[in-house]
Amino acid sequence: MISLDDIFVAREKMRGMIHQTPLDFSKTFSSLANNEVYLKLENLQKTGSFKVRGSFNKMISLKMGELNKGVIAASAGNHAQGVAFSSSLLGIPCTIVMPKGAPLSKIQATRRYGAEVELHGTVFDEALDYALELKEQTGAAFVHPFDDQYVIAGQGTVGLEILEQLPDVEAVVCPVGGGGLIAGLAMAIKEQKPDVKVYGVEALACPSMKQSLQAKKALSIDSMPTMADGIAVKKPGELTFKMVQKYVDEVFCVDEMEIARTMLMVLERNKLLVEGSGASSLASLLYHKIPIVNKKTIAVISGGNVDVSFISRIIERGMVEAGRFVHLSLSLKDKPGELEKLLGIITTLEANVLNLSLEHIGEKIFPGYALLNLSVETKDHNHVEHIIQELTKKGYEIQK
C-alpha cells in the first residue's frame, strides 16, 4: 500500500513537467445539480487526460537498467498517450498495445508521440494480457495503467491540487475504470481531510468496481459497449480495489444517454471538449445519482480525447434529445409545386430545413406519390410537436 508521502514525492518529481489543471466553477451546472459545482479540468492536462501523471511518475521511478529495453503498456487510449509522451521526454523506446476498437484519434496521437502501436483484442483486458506476454518475451519494463503504486501515487497528485484549490471542498466525484485515479485521489484527500466525501462513477455498461465492492473482492465482469471507453475495465486492480474499499464512500453508475447529454452540455455551456469517461462524473451530479445537496462539490473531468467523427454523432443525438433537430418522413404528391408548397409551410413555422431527399420507388410509395425525408432544425420539443400538428392538419401523413 502506498502512503501520502509517496503522493507528495510524486508531485515534486513531476513539478514543471505536468500541468496543474484549472478548477472551474460552473453556475449553470450548480443550478442543475443543486450543488455548488466545480470542474477539475484534467482534459486540459498534457496528452488530454490525467493519465500522464501516473505514467510519468512510474517511469521516472524506474532505474536506468530497467529502461534499457524500453517500456510496454496496454491502454484503450489515454494511458497510451501518457506513456508515449513520457517515453519521448525520457528518450526511451515504447510499445503500446491497444484494443482493435480504440478510437483512431487516440491511436494516431500515441504514434505521434513516437510509440510503436500494436492492436490486439476487442477490449482493454485482452490488450492487457497480450502486453504482459510481450513483456515476458522482450524483457521490457511494464507500465500498468492503474494497478501500480507509482501510477496510483502519480494520479493522487490530482487530490493534492484539489485541496489546495478549494480547501473547503465537501465532496469529490471521480470517474472509475481500473481505479488508479480514484484510489490515489481518495487517499490524498481522505488522509488529510477525512470528512470530505469521495464518490466514484462508472458507466452502467461496465460497473466492475461497483460489483466488486458488493462482492467484497475484485471481480471480472461481462460488459456492454460504452462511449466511456476510458473507464470500460472489466476487472479493477487488486491494489486499487483495496484502496477504494478503504477510502471511497460509494460508487454510482450513469447510462449512455446521460453521458452523451452531459458531453453536449459541457461543449455548449463551457466550450470544453470532454470524452465519455470524463463526462461521467458530472453526469452523475446533473442526473442526481448521488444523494448530496448544497455541497461544495468537485467533478473530476478526467479526459478530453474524443474522436472527431464521434463528436458529430454526439452533437446530433444531443440535439434530437433536446428537440432541436428532428427527422421527418412524409408522403408527398409527385407534382410540380408540391415540394415548394411544403417547404413554404415549414418556413412559416420558423423551422430550418437542413437536408431533404425524395424517393419515388419503394414498397410503401404509391403511384403518383413520393416519400420525402427531411432533417429539420427546431427550437425545442414543443416546436417539433407544433410543426407535426400543423402539417397533419394540412393533410400530410407524418412519420417521425
Side-chain angles (χ1 to χ4, degrees):
M1 191 74 77
I2 70 171
S3 69
L4 180 61
D5 285 342
D6 293 326
I7 300 175
F8 279 105
V9 169
R11 182 170 65 171
E12 290 307 310
K13 287 181 179 179
M14 294 188 289
R15 197 176 294 278
M17 305 301 293
I18 304 300
H19 294 318
Q20 175 170 307
T21 53
L23 188 67
D24 183 42
F25 171 71
S26 173
K27 185 176 180 180
T28 297
F29 295 141
S30 295
S31 176
L32 293 172
N34 298 326
N35 284 285
E36 190 175 317
V37 175
Y38 298 78
L39 307 180
K40 177 60 172 168
L41 299 177
E42 282 295 296
N43 58 310
L44 301 182
Q45 183 56 265
K46 290 182 179 180
T47 74
S49 92
F50 74 95
K51 285 286 191 177
V52 69
R53 295 176 183 261
S55 58
F56 188 76
N57 187 54
K58 170 64 176 179
M59 292 168 66
I60 59 176
S61 300
L62 293 171
K63 297 176 182 178
M64 286 309 299
E66 296 177 282
L67 294 173
N68 285 340
K69 295 183 179 179
V71 296
I72 287 178
S75 172
N78 287 337
H79 179 60
Q81 292 175 65
V83 173
F85 174 77
S86 301
S87 297
S88 67
L89 288 181
L90 297 172
I92 58 175
C94 171
T95 300
I96 306 292
V97 182
M98 304 177 75
K100 292 178 181 177
L104 181 60
S105 60
K106 293 184 179 181
I107 296 172
Q108 292 176 334
T110 302
R111 286 178 171 149
R112 281 196 294 269
Y113 287 124
E116 178 184 338
V117 175
E118 292 199 29
L119 302 179
H120 183 89
T122 57
V123 294
F124 163 75
D125 302 81
E126 293 173 0
L128 176 59
D129 290 340
Y130 183 64
L132 291 172
E133 289 179 18
L134 289 181
K135 169 188 175 295
E136 294 301 321
Q137 294 170 13
T138 64
F142 183 71
V143 184
H144 199 285
F146 48 82
D147 207 28
D148 178 279
Q149 61 179 353
Y150 292 105
V151 171
I152 295 169
Q155 320 301 27
T157 58
V158 177
L160 299 183
E161 290 178 16
I162 283 173
L163 292 182
E164 292 170 353
Q165 292 170 314
L166 191 67
D168 55 347
V169 61
E170 296 175 279
V172 179
V173 185
C174 179
V176 180
L181 174 59
I182 197 168
L185 176 151
M187 167 178 265
I189 292 173
K190 291 284 193 175
E191 287 289 333
Q192 297 180 82
K193 294 193 174 182
D195 291 338
V196 176
K197 297 292 186 182
V198 177
Y199 300 107
V201 180
E202 292 185 293
L204 187 61
C206 189
S208 59
M209 185 66 79
K210 186 175 180 65
Q211 290 191 20
S212 294
L213 289 171
Q214 291 170 346
K216 298 183 179 180
K217 63 179 180 179
L219 295 178
S220 180
I221 68 164
D222 293 327
S223 65
M224 300 289 288
T226 172
M227 68 185 69
D229 59 288
I231 55 174
V233 179
K234 290 185 175 183
K235 184 180 181 181
E238 295 292 340
L239 178 54
T240 57
F241 172 70
K242 291 175 183 176
M243 293 180 70
V244 168
Q245 274 188 314
K246 181 176 180 180
Y247 291 111
V248 175
D249 292 280
E250 196 168 351
V251 175
F252 298 89
C253 293
V254 287
D255 65 32
E256 297 302 292
M257 191 51 61
E258 290 161 347
I259 294 171
R261 288 173 178 171
T262 301
M263 291 174 69
L264 183 63
M265 275 195 282
V266 175
L267 184 61
E268 280 194 312
R269 306 295 175 87
N270 292 60
K271 308 302 181 280
L272 291 169
L273 189 59
V274 177
E275 62 189 82
S277 53
S280 62
S281 56
L282 180 58
S284 70
L285 292 171
L286 298 181
Y287 290 93
H288 309 287
K289 304 290 182 176
I290 303 174
I292 55 173
V293 179
N294 298 325
K295 301 293 184 182
K296 284 193 174 183
T297 305
I298 293 176
V300 179
I301 307 300
S302 58
N305 294 315
V306 188
D307 192 274
V308 174
S309 63
F310 188 66
I311 297 171
S312 62
R313 296 198 294 271
I314 287 292
I315 292 173
E316 180 176 327
R317 183 63 189 179
M319 290 181 71
V320 170
E321 287 295 316
R324 293 167 51 195
F325 184 83
V326 66
H327 295 288
L328 299 173
S329 294
L330 54 91
S331 185
L332 187 70
K333 290 180 181 178
D334 193 11
K335 292 182 179 180
E338 287 296 321
L339 178 58
E340 181 181 5
K341 176 183 173 183
L342 174 67
L343 295 179
I345 295 171
I346 291 176
T347 300
T348 302
L349 294 171
E350 300 181 344
N352 182 34
V353 176
L354 300 177
N355 292 294
L356 64 84
S357 65
L358 275 170
E359 298 177 33
H360 294 84
I361 299 174
E363 184 179 342
K364 296 183 179 180
I365 302 174
F366 295 104
Y369 284 82
L371 181 66
L372 175 64
N373 296 301
L374 288 171
S375 297
V376 183
E377 187 178 14
T378 51
K379 299 175 182 178
D380 52 32
H381 288 294
N382 290 333
H383 192 203
V384 172
E385 290 304 318
H386 179 59
I387 291 169
I388 292 172
Q389 290 172 6
E390 290 300 310
L391 290 175
T392 302
K393 285 180 184 178
K394 297 183 183 298
Y396 295 100
E397 185 178 340
I398 307 271
Q399 297 177 347
K400 267 192 179 183

